[in-house]
Amino acid sequence: MAIYGACFVGIQIGLRDAPALWFAALRAIVAGSALLAVAGVQPRPVPSGGRAWGLFKA
């Protein structure tokens, strides 16, 4: 709950220094990088083949 609430404070601070569109893009890049880092650390197998990746579309 504290982390969720801290996000709003971080957004308010960030919007003071950057335009809304740039800040939204920066947040998406940071979030994507964090998700890739977490996925890289986990010892799970990566899907191989086009059919396996096609299942993610559904």
Side-chain angles (χ1 to χ4, degrees):
M1 194 78 149
I3 294 172
Y4 182 72
C7 289
F8 292 104
V9 175
I11 290 169
Q12 286 179 349
I13 293 170
L15 285 175
R16 279 191 250 153
D17 298 326
L21 187 58
W22 282 105
F23 190 67
L26 179 64
R27 282 181 26 213
I29 290 169
V30 169
S33 299
L35 287 175
L36 285 174
V38 169
V41 172
Q42 291 184 349
R44 296 181 184 208
V46 177
S48 61
R51 181 164 168 22
W53 283 104
L55 294 174
F56 286 114
K57 286 188 201 177

